[in-house]
Amino acid sequence: MTPEELHDVGQKHREQDAKTPHHVRVCMAAGCMSQKSDEIKKTLEKAIKEKGASDPCKVKCVGCMGLCSAGPLVRVDTEGQDSVMYQNVTVDDSSEIVQSISDGKPVERLVCDTNVPFFAKQQKIVLENVGEIDPDSLEDYISVGGYSALGKALAEMSPAEVRSEVEASGLRGRGGAGFPTGLKWGMMARNESETKYIICNADEGDPGAFMDRAVLESDPHRILEGMALAAYATGANHGYVYIRAEYPLAIKRLKNAIRLAARAGLLGHHISGTRFSFQIEIRLGAGAFVCGEETALIASIEGKRGQPKPRPPFPAQSGLWGKPTCINNVETLANIAPIVNKGGAWFASIGTEKSKGTKVFALAGKINNTGLIEVPMGITLREIVFDIGGGIPDGLSFKAVQTGGPSGGCLPDRHLDMAVDYDNLRDAGSIMGSGGMIIMDEESNMVDVARFFMEFCMSESCGKCIPCRVGTYQMHNLLDRIAEGQGTHEDLALLEELCITVACTSLCGLGQTAPNPVLSTLRYFRNEYLDLIGEQHIPAFVGQEASQ
Amino acid sequence: MIMQAEKISPPSDDKRWKVVETTIRRNGASADALIETLHSVQEWFGYLDDDALRYVAARLTLPLSKVYGVATFYHFFTLKPQGKHTCVVCNGTACYIKGAKKLIDDIHDRFDVKLGETTQDGQLSVLGARCLGACGLAPAVVVDGEVQANVDSQTLISQLEGLENDDA
């Protein structure tokens, strides 16, 4: 499709939509689906048909609306009026909701107030279409400006210009490490080769994170467009989406999106009648956290055990089947289309000095509002936990926030006023990670949390290098002993020594960061360890300070 | 000298092998489609037994050791048959914080089955999941493919008991 054709398709679809004054959007992402939102959609459709409402009314399946803890969510959008969001909807509520549409009065008992900080404090770039469009409809995506960035790049920009926009945006990899995307693309573009690959890393292995899944389930074309732009900018011609087999719904929607895009000529040979060709294939992961490491992921796509290799050579030089390869995370790719459309300077105006744009977090654990949020970089943890998250349930008090999953750390309340960005989190002993954010209350036992993550790293260690394979096992043993109240002061000293050794000598990121949860809990909650080994210790607050 | 490749036939004339064969052919029987092929076998047969591994190795011209190596490396693949019913307990961080461990312990006390194992009578497999991505619903479990949100031990156990009784 040429940009003009895209424009026409979008225009036509919008006009078609405008003929229907009422749209009922039902969340059909995995969270609400598990609470039978698919049946709610059916009964809503049935109720509309039976009622034969005077105004046309259309039920639309959309992706994640964010507030998973209040699911299933349904939103009624009436032209010229404010939208009404309903929470905890059941099948039995369908007819009442349909009735309320013709009455023009919302069903008060189900209304979810959207003027609360949970919704008001968010800023959406990655998630702008999520919960708005039907993930299975290409026209829907085009009607909100989808594929216009690709059209613009192909018609008006050179690959170098696309790269310089991305570089100017200051976008950093959202997979966790925060490597500047523009720099990565530049390295890839400099390596000449007939065949180059773009890989989208959708193997979201971090337990407690579901951002990428929500994006893939809710707005799959955004990822395809991002990949196509990345391919154009770096001279690649083939793409893979490496996705977890545990995400069947995301796989289904992605497959459908690839099929629709290829049929419309937005993927495949000579896209938009230009010389640029790009195809995308899906490869399924099979449950290995270590495949988040670039070289291990490449091995897995090649059908081998997912074990990492020493770098250099970097994937940008010699990656998949020895060809230059660029691996980007789902959320990174979802940022590309808006950057190309609105310019790097616009993106760089959001966020902090060194971390630009927004970040999507999966908020979970002991918190009132669990779900998916997108906030500008630089927001404080306090705003996330107490304003957006609505604080801690059951009148308990906040204890720690865990970011970065098994590679991250736990931060205590005195870091609540810290601005969230890559560097601040790292300096505080945690990492940005892919965006899992777990809140813990006063009842959470921090030694147990450290043990939980170590058990995870131990079982996910690929076994290639000794520091990680043996080190995680030994650290888990020590943590186990301490947590069970059988540890000694020597155990604690050994644990600390091992943490440093494993972090410094492991081959890949998994081992290098495996000690982080232990180190951060030792740094901020040392008294809990000391309590368990029966040591007389100075009062908590002083103990925490002394440990630094 | 050109070796004439012998035709390799599936371990049995089970129709499901035809689907697996389609996957193999679609990928040109290439070695890098090993993981795709194993996914296909497990999807249709529920697990990967020795015969299946041998067959896949022969079809993709790979050493059996390599196929076994890949099948055991990834958590998603299982080499043991599953019980008649499955209960997957999510063990992601959010679920853990909200008491997934107690669920696992209580299931163990009641059914004498550990995580990743199947009861002696082959009725129930209890599996762990790293994260179902349903963190908003923690703790979450999946009983026979149905996701259950905000589960507590008592309801879960009586539900699992119910499954066994239904069959009796």
Side-chain angles (χ1 to χ4, degrees), chain B residues 12 17 23 31 42 44 49-50 57 68 75 80 83 102 110 113 126 129 132 135 145 160:
Chain B
S12 69
W17 285 113
T23 310
Q42 181 155 312
W44 291 95
D49 64 7
D50 290 359
Y68 184 77
H75 299 292
K80 282 182 278 182
K102 188 174 175 335
R110 169 62 185 82
V113 57
V126 182
L132 296 171
C135 307
L160 295 176

Side-chain angles (χ1 to χ4, degrees), chain B residues 32-51:
Chain B
D32 51 64
L34 173 58
I35 295 177
E36 309 298 304
T37 311
L38 293 177
H39 269 302
S40 173
V41 177
Q42 181 155 312
E43 188 186 343
W44 291 95
F45 290 88
Y47 72 109
L48 310 168
D49 64 7
D50 290 359
D51 288 341

Side-chain angles (χ1 to χ4, degrees), chain A residues 31 34-36 207-208 210 213 244-245 283-288 300 302-306 321 364-366 370 448 452-453 456 459-460 462, chain B residues 27 31-32 34-36 39 69-70 72-77 91-94 96-98 101 130-137 146-147 149:
Chain A
S34 70
Q35 308 218 52
K36 313 244 175 351
F210 53 97
R213 192 193 62 179
R244 289 182 78 185
R283 282 290 157 111
L284 298 190
S300 184
E302 290 174 350
K304 300 176 189 150
R305 288 163 73 96
W321 292 299
K366 301 281 185 78
T370 56
D448 193 47
F452 167 78
F453 283 119
F456 180 88
S459 79
E460 293 296 331
C462 79
Chain B
N27 292 299
D32 51 64
L34 173 58
I35 295 177
E36 309 298 304
H39 269 302
V70 167
T72 49
F73 183 85
Y74 293 98
H75 299 292
F76 195 78
F77 298 129
N91 218 353
T93 317
Y96 186 81
I97 297 285
K98 286 198 157 183
K101 191 160 170 262
R130 274 311 178 194
C131 185
L132 296 171
C135 307
L137 319 171
E146 292 249 325
V147 180

Side-chain angles (χ1 to χ4, degrees), chain A residues 237-300:
Chain A
N237 36 29
H238 207 102
Y240 286 98
V241 182
Y242 184 77
I243 183 169
R244 289 182 78 185
E246 288 93 331
Y247 287 176
L249 185 64
I251 296 168
K252 195 178 125 213
R253 291 194 177 150
L254 200 57
K255 274 189 179 158
N256 184 49
I258 293 175
R259 194 176 52 86
L260 293 176
R263 205 168 61 189
L266 294 162
L267 287 176
H269 292 292
H270 303 291
I271 296 172
S272 295
T274 63
R275 286 171 61 195
F276 174 61
S277 299
F278 180 62
Q279 26 239 331
I280 296 178
E281 270 182 68
I282 290 182
R283 282 290 157 111
L284 298 190
F289 181 63
V290 69
C291 289
E293 182 73 20
E294 293 192 338
T295 50
L297 191 155
I298 288 171
S300 184

Side-chain angles (χ1 to χ4, degrees), chain B residues 70-119:
Chain B
V70 167
T72 49
F73 183 85
Y74 293 98
H75 299 292
F76 195 78
F77 298 129
T78 166
L79 276 63
K80 282 182 278 182
Q82 301 298 307
K84 196 164 168 204
H85 300 287
T86 53
C87 171
V88 182
V89 183
C90 180
N91 218 353
T93 317
C95 291
Y96 186 81
I97 297 285
K98 286 198 157 183
K101 191 160 170 262
K102 188 174 175 335
L103 291 179
I104 295 166
D105 290 345
D106 289 345
I107 292 174
H108 176 247
D109 290 345
R110 169 62 185 82
F111 297 100
D112 191 26
V113 57
K114 279 195 213 131
L115 207 60
E117 290 182 353
T118 305
T119 48

Side-chain angles (χ1 to χ4, degrees), chain A residues 122-130 174 219 222 334-339 342 346-347 350 356-360 374-376:
Chain A
Q122 295 196 44
Q123 180 174 6
K124 297 196 171 182
I125 298 174
V126 171
L127 302 179
E128 61 185 351
N129 302 330
V130 169
R174 297 292 194 248
D219 197 7
R222 181 58 96 73
N335 273 307
I336 303 298
I339 290 174
K342 299 183 191 169
W346 160 79
F347 192 83
I350 305 163
K356 303 297 185 190
T358 58
K359 180 78 194 84
V360 181
E374 182 172 359
V375 288

Side-chain angles (χ1 to χ4, degrees), chain A residues 160-227:
Chain A
E161 281 168 339
V162 176
R163 288 201 306 274
S164 75
E165 282 303 328
V166 173
E167 208 159 318
S169 74
L171 175 67
R172 293 169 71 172
R174 297 292 194 248
F179 193 79
T181 307
L183 218 59
K184 201 176 204 173
W185 286 12
M187 280 161 63
M188 167 91 163
R190 273 197 297 279
N191 289 301
E192 295 289 332
S193 171
E194 280 250 316
T195 317
K196 291 189 199 177
Y197 297 101
I198 292 287
I199 298 175
C200 168
N201 180 359
D203 189 53
E204 193 171 40
D206 171 356
F210 53 97
M211 306 78 48
D212 294 351
R213 192 193 62 179
V215 175
L216 291 162
E217 281 175 355
S218 313
D219 197 7
H221 286 287
R222 181 58 96 73
I223 309 304
L224 303 183
E225 188 179 4
M227 286 179 77

